[in-house]
Amino acid sequence: MRIGYMLSSEEYPPQQLLEQARGAERAGFDALWISDHYHPWVDAQGQSPFVWSMLGALSQVCRLPVTTAVTCPTIRIHPAVIAQAAATTAVLHDGRFVLGIGSGEALNEHIFGDAWPAASVRLEMLEESVEVMRKLWKGEFVHHRGTHYTVEQARIYTLPEAPPPIYVSGFGPKAIDLAARIGDGYISTMPDAEMVRRFRDNGGGDKPCQGSFKAAYAETEEAGAQIAYEKWPNAGVPGELSQVLPSPRHFEQAAELVRPEMLKEAFVCGRDAEAHVEMIGRFAEAGFDEVYVANTGPHYEALFDLYAREVLPRVR
């Protein structure tokens, strides 16, 4: 299994994200995820650098493969622009780039005042956006008039040797089926064997499946849970709220119902290597090929040391 590290753009400024990328490579991680947000989930996270600037910078500081987890190519940025950004990023990373996409959250996509579509419409838009991007990656002039997008006499000139793979995030049955049908791989944040099985049985076959979990390194489990609660209380917000709430202050209001002990279920807290190994094992048993850990809080160098010494040697 490939073990990667997630760069949380919602929490760390650009310089620290680059520092973490270097640290992850030194520690022996195999790959990187990086989140794509316009806003953080809550103000306590406090950051949200532009992912395409970060991806260009990352290409100059490390050689690890990187996946966006995930970009929404439907509302805030037109898929024709995402196609150009992804092509340039793949060139900079010498082909070590995966475009991870999803149907998005109102938190990031509502900023121009567009209506937030129903889930079924967002999936339609996602499917058409993939069609547009793959047309453009052929290097020819594209004329596209679809249900949701128009592209007129557009051509991308700077292209990688091969088009970037597209991995699709999905949690509900319809989204998983779409990922299986149009994706080159699958992305999820839950070690759920049924989700992986549905993806593989409905057209995904042996395509790669990526998963992730969050950690809060600290001297004790309680201290880690407190860090998680202060920085990521939104991780305890249930159901579809993460897709429909429009701003960090609304997530903060919803998170008033979350208690620190609830974050122990969503995070691996503390410094127990066995807890990390166990969580990675849950993803492996569910059928994932790759799993990415995201640290929250200031102690990411200590997490890198823990993985280099005790976690990565064991899981390999």
Side-chain angles (χ1 to χ4, degrees):
M1 171 178 274
R2 176 186 274 187
I3 309 299
Y5 181 77
M6 181 174 183
L7 302 170
S8 295
S9 299
E10 306 94 314
E11 185 177 347
Y12 300 102
Q15 296 84 351
Q16 286 189 16
L17 292 173
L18 298 179
E19 181 182 309
Q20 288 183 25
R22 296 187 190 98
E25 188 171 41
R26 288 193 301 267
F29 284 92
D30 299 310
L32 298 171
W33 267 16
I34 185 167
S35 53
D36 178 1
H37 271 241
Y38 193 88
H39 296 126
W41 296 100
V42 294
D43 279 353
Q45 292 163 5
Q47 296 291 330
S48 200
F50 188 50
V51 73
W52 300 104
S53 300
M54 292 308 310
L55 285 161
L58 285 169
S59 72
Q60 304 304 298
V61 302
C62 77
R63 301 287 293 174
L64 294 179
V66 60
T67 300
T68 52
V70 291
T71 289
C72 177
T74 59
I75 298 177
R76 174 169 43 108
I77 305 180
H78 193 284
V81 179
I82 296 292
Q84 184 189 28
T88 301
T89 300
V91 171
L92 285 169
H93 285 266
D94 294 327
R96 300 181 308 276
F97 172 68
V98 172
L99 178 61
I101 63 170
S103 59
E105 302 92 13
L107 174 72
N108 301 304
E109 307 305 319
H110 80 286
I111 59 172
F112 300 126
D114 300 278
W116 183 238
S120 59
V121 177
R122 300 203 306 271
L123 292 177
E124 285 179 9
M125 297 172 74
L126 191 65
E127 183 167 10
E128 188 176 339
S129 76
V130 170
E131 179 185 355
V132 168
M133 291 188 291
R134 285 180 170 152
K135 284 181 178 179
L136 286 163
W137 288 337
K138 293 178 180 178
E140 303 168 354
F141 278 98
V142 171
H143 307 265
H144 175 91
R145 290 190 179 275
T147 303
H148 302 286
Y149 304 106
T150 297
V151 179
E152 188 68 35
Q153 299 186 57
R155 178 184 173 186
I156 294 176
Y157 281 82
T158 299
L159 290 166
E161 292 184 4
I166 295 176
Y167 291 11
V168 182
S169 172
F171 298 95
K174 292 181 180 179
I176 295 171
D177 291 349
L178 178 65
R181 187 170 72 252
I182 69 171
D184 300 307
Y186 173 59
I187 289 175
S188 179
T189 57
M190 293 183 284
D192 190 314
E194 288 300 318
M195 289 181 173
V196 174
R197 187 175 300 111
R198 185 177 186 108
F199 171 78
R200 298 203 184 284
D201 290 347
N202 287 279
D206 61 355
K207 296 174 184 177
C209 292
Q210 296 182 341
S212 77
F213 66 93
K214 288 182 170 57
Y217 186 97
E219 288 300 305
T220 66
E221 183 181 18
E222 291 301 322
Q226 187 60 38
I227 291 172
Y229 180 67
E230 292 171 358
K231 291 289 188 179
W232 286 82
N234 57 286
V237 173
E240 296 180 38
L241 289 177
S242 292
Q243 280 71 54
V244 301
L245 294 179
S247 77
R249 69 174 179 270
H250 293 103
F251 278 93
E252 289 163 2
Q253 291 166 9
E256 291 178 3
L257 302 175
V258 177
R259 294 291 174 264
E261 57 270 18
M262 297 168 64
L263 273 298
K264 291 181 181 179
E265 300 176 10
F267 282 71
V268 177
C269 298
R271 60 175 185 171
D272 181 10
E274 184 60 38
H276 287 265
V277 172
E278 180 182 347
M279 180 62 78
I280 292 168
R282 289 174 59 188
F283 279 90
E285 290 171 8
F288 285 87
D289 306 290
E290 307 174 24
V291 62
Y292 294 75
V293 56
N295 187 64
T296 189
H299 307 305
Y300 48 85
E301 288 289 356
L303 181 129
F304 292 153
D305 290 342
L306 178 70
Y307 267 70
R309 292 192 323 269
E310 301 183 53
V311 178
L312 294 177
R314 289 179 59 183
V315 298
R316 288 171 178 153

